Amino acid sequence: MFEDQLPLPTKRPRRLRGSASLRDSVAESQVTPQNLWLPVFVREGLTDARPISSMPGVVQHSMESLCKVAESAAAAKLGGLMLFGIPEHKDSIGSAALNPQGILNRALAELRPVVGDDLPLIGDLCLDEFTDHGHCGVLDAAGNVANDDTLKVYAQMALAQAEAGAHLLGLSGMMDGQVAAVRHALDGAGHAEVGIVAYSAKYASGFYGPFREAVNSSLVGDRRTYQIDPRNGLEGVRESVLDEGEGADVVMVKPAMSYLDVVAAVRASVRVPVAAYQVSGEYAMIQAAAERGWLNREQVILESLLSIRRAGANLVATYFALDAAPLL
Ligand code: PBG
């Protein structure tokens, strides 16, 4: 008989899958709350938190609700809180980003005494929430984003956030030379202890869609003259290596799930921690499918975070951080 001639397998990977304890003992990757950073939005003038319709479960915080979520994040032992501010008034140069009374700087100043050093605070260092044109930098006379003029604004913004109490600054604007410019400004002003998270491999992605609602973005058009073309992987590595050389303390890949190849390549190319940002659209896809009962929410949250860690990310920025922490 044909079956009698089938060779029996001698290599049996299934042996190590036979029980939960065996599977646990050979698990190669894990996620801990400390690996997770929670992005949060705080909006000037709100008295109550306001839902973001394209990100069910995520809100624009009032100052009061922001303090509560920071306390929860500290209690859950998350690795960090990433703050985005939404000002009442925008202008062409994003002045509210520099003003110590601007919403983001005020939020940092309020939170720092609440969380101390128990929860790292990461200020978003970018102008798009503060400019009336919605771009991440200032514009030249022709309406193009002016790289070197923007660096001067970023340097001032960095000092405002450092003075307000940020532990780390998240440089998400994708201007050339931004890490060196901000490092120089911080060191010159006595803020050598404030670290830089460089959004190094940040792609011009459709997955940021819901974020635009979250921050009341004014952007018309796109950011393709400064964010990376999704066709390019090596360019993400190049940007990360440049940023490490300029003094970045952490480099980031963003988005995460469609860019796991870039996460792995960057991990192999730098010697600083690598973060990956599971962005608003990635969050929204999982939430929407789970709401319809099309997939198991908790299982998919954990699997998505694990896959990002397995690809090589040391840290994951995710809107699921507080939901995931008790499951870990
Ligand atoms: C811009 C910024 C964006 C995100 C974080 N910072 C949007 C963009 O570049 O258009 C997106 C985050 C998300 O989608 O969750 N500074």
Side-chain angles (χ1 to χ4, degrees):
M1 275 236 311
F2 157 75
E3 285 88 350
D4 294 338
Q5 293 155 26
L6 275 181
L8 291 176
T10 55
K11 310 277 166 65
R12 293 181 182 269
R14 286 188 55 189
R15 275 184 202 120
L16 295 181
R17 299 179 197 142
S19 68
S21 55
L22 261 178
R23 291 192 294 273
D24 286 347
S25 77
V26 297
E28 297 171 40
S29 320
Q30 59 169 355
V31 183
T32 67
Q34 289 86 348
N35 299 140
L36 304 179
W37 285 348
L38 176 69
V40 291
F41 305 102
V42 56
R43 178 165 172 184
E44 189 167 25
L46 285 190
T47 45
D48 294 304
R50 180 186 292 196
I52 299 164
S53 64
S54 55
M55 300 179 75
V58 179
V59 298
Q60 293 179 332
H61 283 287
S62 64
M63 203 62 92
E64 203 184 316
S65 69
L66 179 72
C67 287
K68 291 208 185 96
V69 82
E71 283 165 7
S72 309
K77 302 210 180 318
L78 296 187
L81 194 69
M82 304 165 66
L83 282 124
F84 295 90
I86 305 151
E88 227 156 332
H89 304 290
K90 307 182 185 194
D91 60 25
S92 65
I93 57 164
S95 328
L98 308 181
N99 185 341
Q101 294 309 314
I103 182 65
L104 179 52
N105 298 324
R106 268 206 296 128
L108 286 165
E110 288 237 3
L111 288 186
R112 181 63 191 262
V114 174
V115 301
D117 289 335
D118 293 342
L119 177 69
L121 299 176
I122 306 148
D124 184 57
L125 203 160
C126 187
L127 285 175
D128 64 309
E129 284 97 55
F130 299 94
T131 53
D132 51 16
H133 45 73
H135 275 295
C136 294
V138 295
L139 306 182
D140 64 17
N144 300 310
V145 175
N147 194 89
D148 301 3
D149 288 337
T150 300
L151 296 183
K152 293 177 197 150
V153 185
Y154 285 179
Q156 293 177 50
M157 195 173 173
L159 298 189
Q161 294 189 7
E163 271 145 36
H167 295 90
L168 300 170
L169 307 182
L171 276 56
S172 64
M174 287 300 285
M175 294 302 119
D176 293 337
Q178 61 184 8
V179 173
V182 166
R183 187 70 270 160
H184 180 78
L186 289 171
D187 293 348
H191 292 295
E193 78 292 353
V194 175
I196 292 177
V197 179
Y199 286 54
S200 304
K202 180 172 179 183
Y203 285 84
S205 172
F207 288 104
Y208 307 149
F211 180 91
R212 305 268 163 94
E213 181 199 343
V215 300
N216 298 26
S217 172
S218 317
L219 184 71
V220 181
D222 59 55
R223 307 195 196 281
R224 287 178 208 204
T225 68
Y226 42 106
Q227 298 180 345
I228 306 179
D229 188 319
R231 289 173 290 193
N232 299 345
L234 273 180
E235 199 176 331
V237 174
R238 179 179 186 220
E239 286 273 15
S240 304
V241 170
L242 284 173
D243 284 351
E244 181 184 34
E246 288 181 26
D249 298 286
V250 178
V251 297
M252 188 186 277
V253 177
K254 177 183 175 187
M257 287 155 69
S258 294
Y259 296 84
L260 295 180
D261 57 326
V262 181
V263 172
V266 169
R267 180 57 290 166
S269 307
V270 298
R271 291 294 172 269
V272 290
V274 174
Y277 195 148
Q278 184 181 51
V279 300
S280 58
E282 302 179 71
Y283 174 87
M285 288 193 301
I286 292 174
Q287 288 292 76
E291 271 177 17
R292 286 165 176 72
W294 290 350
L295 40 77
N296 179 318
R297 181 171 177 274
E298 291 188 354
Q299 188 185 356
V300 170
I301 291 173
L302 291 181
E303 187 177 335
S304 68
L305 299 176
L306 254 182
S307 70
I308 297 164
R309 290 269 296 148
R310 192 190 61 237
N314 306 91
L315 294 152
V316 186
T318 174
Y319 301 96
F320 289 122
L322 273 180
D323 305 274
L327 309 174
L328 302 173

